[in-house]
């Protein structure tokens, strides 16, 4: 991943995790908790693609696994967000730009339901049966509802930031300079018939043409050239 991608992703993930733990987790809403971290991963994955989405998801999930008050095995949520980020990156819109809100909303609902099921499935494999006691259907419904309500305020903004960070001013400057050089070279060659550098028609061509022109003028005037 590029440096600007890593810096932006790290900053957004940290901010989302802090808000998740300090604000959203303390609302005590019925059912699941709105997953701001999941929405952040989805927004970045739909700009960076499946590889970038998987890397961002793994890093975000691992950070959530280690952040207090985590009460599950480390790596569990990292696996979930890695898979979700990879799949969301496959649904990346062309050029990372949204043409309508329908596609991203479908991705958000699918990610909310899929992440809840995958998290519960991994928990069942390691002996965590908390989802059974809370009720899996209510968790699925509340997770999809909360994330769907929160997504319009999070996902478009994150995608806009990610697209803006993809523009490299230094690369654009170098590209403009190279383009200006090419235009200048083309303009000179078109106006003078010369090629710059070691190409055909350099200084050697100038000397040869000058000698030929002088010889031709001398012959016309009847002057013998020594």
């Amino acid at each position: 991943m590029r440096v600007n991608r890593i810096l932006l992703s790290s900053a957004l993930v940290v901010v989302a995790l802090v808000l998740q733990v300090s604000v959203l987790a303390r609302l005590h809403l019925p059912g699941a908790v709105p997953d701001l971290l999941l929405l952040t991963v989805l927004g970045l994955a739909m700009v960076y693609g499946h590889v970038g989405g998987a890397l961002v998801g793994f890093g975000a999930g691992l950070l959530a696994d280690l952040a207090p008050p985590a009460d599950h095995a480390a790596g569990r949520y990292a696996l979930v967000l890695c898979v979700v980020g990879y799949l969301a990156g496959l649904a990346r819109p062309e050029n990372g730009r949204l043409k309508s809100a329908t596609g991203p909303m479908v991705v958000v609902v699918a990610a909310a339901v899929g992440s809840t099921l995958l998290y519960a499935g991994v928990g069942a494999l390691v002996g965590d049966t908390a989802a059974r006691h809370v009720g899996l259907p209510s968790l699925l419904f509340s997770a999809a509802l909360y994330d769907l309500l929160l997504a319009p305020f999070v996902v478009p903004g994150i995608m806009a930031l990610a697209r803006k960070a993809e523009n490299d001013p230094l690369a654009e400057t170098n590209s403009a300079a190279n383009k200006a050089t090419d235009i200048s070279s083309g303009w000179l060659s078109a106006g003078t018939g010369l090629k710059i550098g070691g190409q055909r028609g350099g200084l050697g061509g100038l000397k040869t043409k000058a000698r030929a022109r002088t010889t031709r003028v001398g012959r016309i005037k009847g002057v013998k050239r020594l």
Side-chain angles (χ1 to χ4, degrees):
M1 294 179 69
R2 300 177 183 175
V3 176
N4 54 352
R5 287 187 177 187
I6 296 175
L7 294 177
L8 178 64
S9 301
S10 302
L12 291 176
V13 165
V14 170
V15 171
L17 182 61
V18 170
L19 293 176
Q20 178 87 27
V21 174
S22 61
V23 178
L24 297 178
R26 298 177 182 274
L27 296 178
H28 301 293
L29 297 174
V33 177
D35 200 338
L36 184 60
L37 197 60
L38 173 66
L39 297 178
T40 302
V41 172
L42 292 179
L44 294 173
M46 285 191 285
V47 175
Y48 296 157
H50 58 283
V51 176
L55 293 175
V56 172
F58 179 80
L62 186 60
L63 190 61
D65 288 332
L66 300 177
D71 57 352
H72 55 269
R76 180 176 170 185
Y77 202 46
L79 173 62
V80 172
L81 287 187
C82 181
V83 174
V84 170
Y86 180 86
L87 295 177
L90 295 177
R92 171 190 178 187
E94 185 178 358
N95 296 327
R97 298 183 179 274
L98 298 176
K99 296 181 179 180
S100 66
T102 304
M105 292 300 103
V106 173
V107 172
V108 169
V109 174
V113 174
S115 62
T116 304
L117 288 174
L118 185 58
Y119 186 82
V122 174
L125 292 177
V126 297
D128 185 3
T129 59
R132 297 179 182 178
H133 300 292
V134 176
L136 188 58
S138 62
L139 281 178
L140 293 175
F141 176 77
S142 58
L145 179 62
Y146 296 153
D147 291 347
L148 189 60
L149 293 176
L150 190 60
F153 304 99
V154 177
V155 176
I158 290 178
M159 294 184 68
L161 288 175
R163 289 196 304 268
K164 187 175 181 180
E166 288 294 281
N167 298 327
D168 189 356
L170 184 59
E172 292 179 358
T173 303
N174 293 336
S175 178
N178 293 335
K179 185 177 180 181
T181 303
D182 294 339
I183 293 175
S184 301
S185 302
W187 178 75
L188 287 174
S189 60
T192 62
L194 302 177
K195 299 288 185 176
I196 297 177
Q199 298 178 354
R200 179 174 55 87
L203 294 177
L206 281 176
K207 293 180 180 179
T208 303
K209 290 182 179 179
R211 290 176 180 174
R213 187 179 296 110
T214 303
T215 302
R216 185 167 58 253
V217 172
R219 289 175 179 175
I220 292 174
K221 292 184 177 180
V223 179
K224 184 178 180 181
R225 303 296 298 180
L226 297 177

